[in-house]
Amino acid sequence: MVKVGVIGLQGDVSEHIDAAKKALENLGVPGEVIWLRKQEQLEGISAVIVPGGESTTISRLMVKNDLFESIKKLGREGLPIMGTCAGLIMLSKEVIGATSGQRFLGLLDVRVNRNAYGRQVDSFEAPVKLAFSNEPFIGVFIRAPRIMGLLSGRVKPIAWLDDRIVGVEQGNVIGLEFHPELTDDTRVHEYFLGKVL
């Protein structure tokens, strides 16, 4: 049985839980989606989602709750991990505008600019092209980070806003600037969960 954990320390956790449950249902796969807060909950985990929120807070609380090193190790060992918005920042190797002492998992060979789109009032929705689907996906961008560069050939673009890369994949890891959990469309979660099946 598939067990998906959404890191539930800060951010839009319940939305990801609902989207992942719906995606499992659409795929016809039995499984559970849990609110992941403690290291012991990683036992038997099949995939992890790092939600949007505030990356400095998520980083600090992951360290405090003994999740940081465990998630990093599991990601290096091939556990499927998806990060959206602040989750993308957490997964990145290089972060422009990081706060002092902030730690990152470094599982994606990308450079991102934290809060590149501006303030909350600058949030927007726009059609995103996906590598794995012909239909556009409505991307919700909220104080989003911006992917400024791919740092190795191992990173593959999987989502574009016009001609700009807004989503990437590196083996078992996916990072997105936008929030797929804030729509009723589960294609991105289904694609991610395909890495478990």
Side-chain angles (χ1 to χ4, degrees):
M1 184 159 103
V2 173
K3 181 181 175 186
V4 181
V6 180
I7 294 180
L9 303 172
Q10 196 261 346
D12 50 347
V13 182
S14 60
E15 294 88 345
H16 267 297
I17 289 173
D18 291 344
K21 281 180 179 173
K22 191 173 166 191
L24 284 171
E25 204 175 286
N26 291 347
L27 292 166
V29 175
E32 64 173 332
V33 186
I34 65 164
W35 194 296
L36 179 60
R37 289 189 180 100
K38 301 180 199 135
Q39 188 186 24
E40 51 267 30
Q41 292 176 292
L42 291 170
E43 186 68 42
I45 206 83
S46 312
V48 167
I49 296 172
V50 187
E54 209 290 305
S55 64
T56 310
T57 305
I58 293 170
S59 173
R60 183 172 46 78
L61 291 174
M62 280 182 72
V63 171
K64 184 181 173 189
N65 288 33
D66 292 326
L67 283 170
F68 188 91
E69 291 301 333
S70 300
I71 298 283
K72 187 173 184 173
K73 181 174 182 285
L74 288 168
R76 285 188 172 151
E77 291 170 354
L79 182 82
I81 299 177
M82 178 169 73
T84 60
C85 197
L88 165 64
I89 296 170
M90 286 299 304
L91 291 172
S92 298
K93 234 174 212 155
E94 292 183 14
V95 179
I96 300 164
T99 57
S100 176
Q102 187 175 357
R103 295 176 65 189
F104 306 99
L105 297 165
L107 298 170
L108 272 178
D109 295 341
V110 295
R111 179 184 303 113
V112 299
N113 188 349
R114 191 172 173 266
N115 294 342
Y117 286 95
R119 299 155 45 127
Q120 196 85 13
V121 293
D122 301 312
S123 302
F124 65 96
E125 293 183 9
V128 169
K129 181 184 181 314
L130 300 174
F132 47 87
S133 180
N134 292 327
E135 294 297 314
F137 187 95
I138 298 302
V140 180
F141 295 80
I142 303 173
R143 289 186 65 210
R146 181 172 281 189
I147 297 168
M148 306 302 288
L150 310 184
L151 305 176
S152 80
R154 294 181 297 172
V155 186
K156 181 175 97 176
I158 59 165
W160 297 263
L161 177 61
D162 299 322
D163 59 352
R164 206 174 57 66
I165 299 166
V166 295
V168 292
E169 173 178 40
Q170 184 175 332
N172 55 304
V173 182
I174 290 175
L176 306 167
E177 293 181 3
F178 55 97
H179 290 265
E181 75 285 2
L182 296 181
T183 73
D184 291 329
D185 191 333
T186 60
R187 279 177 292 160
V188 170
H189 285 79
E190 288 173 33
Y191 179 75
F192 169 62
L193 292 171
K195 293 184 175 299
V196 177
L197 310 175

